[in-house]
């Protein structure tokens, strides 16, 4: 064989339209996992303000919660966390070899349930909590 | 559908002709017949392009040895549809009637030799097992992704075969039966490995796997399934199972699988590949955690 043609990376993520359920579940799970890791840092940063007393912590929380962007981001965080947990449970079943023939349906179920929970949470988050 | 195109113009007189005059006349006749034939083919092609009962194929073309084909491109073929026509039938028709240089592998045409796994409309399928009527037009036919293309639809399968060989894909045992006994398998055990024995080495699964694409050393679904077929075969005995698990537990063995289910989705023999890989993962864990 003289030469061969390698089509490069275009054939991986350039083909996203053709991905099946399991592939999407994998991508979303990776993505949400890393978003949660990212959130963990901000979470610790905010909590750390309590080290210098109750007042700075309350002030920080109130300042953050008064911003609409923060409240919208919280909806996003909930979506990411709920999906990660539901799909995480799905993956645990996959690891146990339970219900593998329904793996695509359980992925769609995770998506729908995430959607429902997130939509239901919107009023609470956007109204903000009075501390 | 036949591979050979039937000769449409037959010159019956040519065999017994002798006189120079007749030879000349015959040559002229042949020429005319050839022209007519060409014209007819062009007309047929034109008609095929516009008719409703044709299928439009877009076929990947590439040939490093031909100057005009070094840059990959897609060729359009319009193939007259016959009931029951598969993608492979259409490719053969296109090769036989439009371009004899169109290159692809095939042999059995009945989903058993595993030589015509192709990338059809965005997923790995056997050309001979895929009905045109199940596909939307234009039907895009490409060589398997994540493999080097040698020419047109032909990819280099060497790496796939290497991975298959790496798991020792043959029966081995230390506990041979007595001289006059057969090596019997229980019905239950046969049932357990049944699906895993169906692999035809087509490489569709390997090609669909995102992990195998990124990690060249990953054994891949087909090889792991092959190992499953023997690891689960009770006749091989405990020490052989141990040896098989050692191969599977390696860094680039079962643990690379991220349960994307792509392989299970595309396997033309409906082998539950992910299920087998997951079961081997559990076997590997049980093998290393000896609480009992
Ligand atoms: C109840 C809560 C959670 C459940 C049930 C869960 C479940 C899982 C499971 C089963 C996996 C493995 C996926 C695989 O097999 O490839 C996983 C991956 C991951 N999780 Fe979670 N998880 C949870 C919470 C979290 C949290 C709070 C974080 C972040 C701090 C997180 C970050 C990650 C990351 C980054 C990965 C990807 C790891 C990789 O690259 O493979 N998870 N999760
Ligand atoms: S496991 Fe299925 S897809 Fe993979 S090589 Fe065997 S027959 Fe082909
Ligand atoms: S030609 Fe043998 S599997 Fe398709």
């Amino acid at each position: 064989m003289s030469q061969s043609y390698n089509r490069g990376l275009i054939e991986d993520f350039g083909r996203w339209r053709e991905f099946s359920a399991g592939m999407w579940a994998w991508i979303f799970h990776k993505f949400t996992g890393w978003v949660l890791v990212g959130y963990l840092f901000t979470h610790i940063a905010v909590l750390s303000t309590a080290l210098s007393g109750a007042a700075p912590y309350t002030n920080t929380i109130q300042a953050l919660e008064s911003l609409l962007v923060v409240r919208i981001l919280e909806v996003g965080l909930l979506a990411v966390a709920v999906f990660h947990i539901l799909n995480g449970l799905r993956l645990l079943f996959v690891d146990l070899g339970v219900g593998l023939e329904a793996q695509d349906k359980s992925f769609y179920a995770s998506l729908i349930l995430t959607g429902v929970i997130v939509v239901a949470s919107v009023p609470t988050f956007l109204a903000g909590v009075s501390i | 559908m036949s591979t050979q195109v039937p000769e449409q113009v037959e010159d019956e007189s040519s065999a017994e002709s002798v006189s120079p005059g007749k030879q000349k006349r015959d040559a002229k006749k042949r020429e005319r017949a050839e022209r007519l034939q060409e014209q007819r083919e062009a007309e047929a092609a034109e008609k095929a392009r516009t008719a409703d009962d044709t299928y439009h194929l877009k076929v990947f073309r590439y040939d490093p040895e031909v100057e005009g084909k070094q840059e990959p491109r897609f060729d359009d073929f319009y193939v007259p549809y016959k009931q029951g026509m598969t993608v492979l039938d259409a490719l053969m028709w296109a090769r036989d009637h439009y371009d004899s240089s169109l290159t692809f592998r095939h042999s059995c045409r009945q989903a058993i030799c595993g030589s015509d796994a192709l990338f059809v409309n965005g997923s790995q399928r056997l050309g001979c097992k895929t009905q045109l009527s199940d596909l939307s037009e234009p039907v895009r036919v490409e060589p398997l992704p994540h493999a080097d293309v040698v020419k047109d639809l032909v990819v280099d399968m060497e790496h796939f075969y290497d991975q298959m060989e790496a798991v020792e894909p043959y029966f081995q045992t230390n506990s041979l039966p007595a001289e006059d006994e057969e090596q019997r398998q229980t019905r239950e055990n046969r049932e357990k490995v049944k699906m895993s024995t169906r692999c035809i080495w087509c490489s569709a699964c390997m090609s669909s796997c995102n992990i195998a694409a990124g990690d060249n050393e990953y054994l891949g679904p087909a090889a792991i399934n092959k190992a499953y077929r023997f690891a689960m075969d009770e006749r091989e005995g405990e020490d052989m199972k141990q040896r098989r698990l050692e191969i599977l537990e390696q860094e680039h063995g079962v643990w690379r699988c991220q349960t994307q289910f792509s392989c299970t989705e595309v396997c033309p023999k409906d082998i539950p590949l992910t299920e087998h890989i997951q079961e081997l993962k559990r076997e590997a864990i049980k093998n290393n955690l000896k609480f009992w």
Side-chain angles (χ1 to χ4, degrees):
Chain A
M1 199 176 24
S2 49
Q3 280 168 282
S4 69
Y5 177 66
N6 189 320
R7 286 155 293 171
L9 281 175
I10 305 135
E11 65 196 43
D12 287 322
F13 292 99
R15 299 244 186 230
W16 59 274
R17 253 177 284 252
E18 286 143 6
F19 287 173
S20 58
M23 186 67 185
W24 280 119
W26 180 77
I27 290 171
F28 288 169
H29 200 85
K30 288 278 123 121
F31 176 74
T32 55
W34 288 109
V35 169
L36 288 175
V37 171
Y39 169 70
L40 193 59
F41 287 101
T42 51
H43 189 51
I44 292 169
V46 171
L47 290 183
S48 305
T49 58
L51 287 173
S52 35
Y57 175 72
T58 311
N59 289 340
T60 313
I61 291 288
Q62 278 174 343
L64 283 173
E65 287 299 322
S66 65
L67 298 172
L68 183 65
V69 212
V70 172
R71 280 178 271 151
I72 291 173
L73 281 175
E74 279 175 333
V75 177
L77 178 66
L78 181 79
V80 160
V82 171
F83 175 80
H84 191 87
I85 292 170
L86 292 178
N87 194 58
L89 294 175
R90 167 182 170 273
L91 287 172
L92 294 181
F93 280 110
V94 167
D95 284 341
L96 292 171
V98 176
L100 290 196
E101 24 353 288
Q103 59 87 16
D104 47 347
K105 290 186 205 75
S106 57
F107 165 64
Y108 297 134
S110 313
L111 274 187
I112 292 166
L113 204 50
T114 304
V116 170
I117 292 173
V118 168
V119 168
S121 79
V122 167
T124 317
F125 274 114
L126 289 193
V129 193
S130 51
I131 311 168
Chain B
M1 180 168 260
S2 147
T3 317
Q4 235 54 44
V5 183
E7 273 300 328
Q8 280 172 11
V9 195
E10 297 218 354
D11 206 340
E12 281 171 7
S13 58
S14 63
E16 66 244 32
S17 66
V18 265
S19 78
K22 184 156 169 49
Q23 263 177 26
K24 228 179 184 170
R25 272 199 311 282
D26 279 343
K28 257 212 183 109
K29 216 156 100 191
R30 247 197 315 274
E31 224 173 80
R32 208 168 47 232
E34 268 162 25
R35 248 203 327 272
L36 211 73
Q37 167 81 0
E38 259 166 43
Q39 206 179 328
R40 235 183 271 145
E41 266 173 19
E43 271 168 22
E46 191 47 43
K47 214 163 82 198
R49 185 191 296 269
T50 48
D52 328 320
D53 59 346
T54 61
Y55 263 77
H56 178 190
L57 268 66
K58 272 183 132 35
V59 183
F60 181 94
R61 305 300 304 273
Y62 165 76
D63 187 347
E65 284 160 17
V66 173
E67 206 166 327
K69 275 172 78 187
Q70 276 159 0
E71 250 328 289
R73 59 161 201 256
F74 279 89
D75 276 0
D76 294 282
F77 294 110
Y78 295 83
V79 175
Y81 179 70
K82 279 207 191 83
Q83 207 193 345
M85 202 175 203
T86 64
V87 171
L88 181 63
D89 293 333
L91 286 175
M92 292 193 313
W93 201 93
R95 176 197 61 197
D96 295 347
H97 293 81
Y98 292 137
D99 183 351
S100 58
S101 72
L102 176 59
T103 311
F104 48 94
R105 293 193 183 103
H106 68 280
S107 173
C108 69
R109 300 187 227 167
Q110 49 178 333
I112 202 64
C113 73
S115 55
D116 67 337
L118 299 164
F119 197 57
V120 183
N121 277 4
S123 75
Q124 287 78 0
R125 313 174 208 242
L126 290 182
C128 61
K129 195 175 174 261
T130 308
Q131 291 286 320
L132 281 180
S133 54
D134 289 340
L135 301 169
S136 59
E137 280 183 89
V139 178
R140 257 172 96 91
V141 187
E142 296 166 71
L144 286 179
H146 306 137
D148 288 343
V149 182
V150 179
K151 182 181 176 186
D152 292 349
L153 301 174
V154 174
V155 294
D156 185 1
M157 298 277 282
E158 221 41 61
H159 176 62
F160 174 72
Y161 296 145
D162 285 346
Q163 301 309 75
M164 292 299 268
E165 297 299 340
V167 299
E168 305 176 355
Y170 34 80
F171 186 84
Q172 310 174 75
T173 187
N174 293 329
S175 54
L176 286 169
E179 189 76 9
D180 53 351
E181 262 179 59
E182 289 168 45
Q183 202 143 35
R184 281 266 171 92
Q185 185 175 28
T186 63
R187 280 169 190 276
E188 293 73 34
N189 193 224
R190 167 64 208 175
E191 205 52 38
K192 173 140 194 85
V193 299
K194 185 173 87 182
M195 292 307 280
S196 66
T197 62
R198 295 173 55 170
C199 178
I200 55 173
W201 297 49
C202 69
S203 188
C205 53
M206 182 79 136
S207 166
S208 77
C209 179
N210 196 54
I211 308 298
D215 174 8
N216 231 18
E217 287 175 63
Y218 175 42
L219 286 174
I224 296 177
N225 173 71
K226 197 43 112 183
Y228 176 98
R229 185 253 169 276
F230 293 108
M232 293 301 167
D233 193 321
E234 285 162 357
R235 295 168 301 171
E236 282 208 341
E238 262 318 301
D239 41 345
M240 206 46 85
K241 179 158 181 178
Q242 202 59 38
R243 179 194 169 87
R244 297 214 177 263
L245 284 178
E246 269 158 32
I247 296 175
L248 290 166
E249 273 169 23
Q250 292 173 79
E251 192 186 340
H252 300 277
V254 286
W255 300 109
R256 289 283 136 158
C257 169
Q258 301 268 317
T259 65
Q260 293 172 347
F261 288 92
S262 310
C263 55
T264 309
E265 241 18 73
V266 300
C267 176
K269 306 309 278 187
D270 297 328
I271 302 171
L273 294 161
T274 312
E275 198 175 320
H276 290 169
I277 299 171
Q278 293 297 85
E279 195 173 341
L280 287 172
K281 284 182 189 167
R282 292 195 298 278
E283 286 290 310
I285 292 176
K286 277 193 262 171
N287 194 39
N288 288 320
L289 291 178
K290 290 242 163 28
F291 294 134
W292 47 85

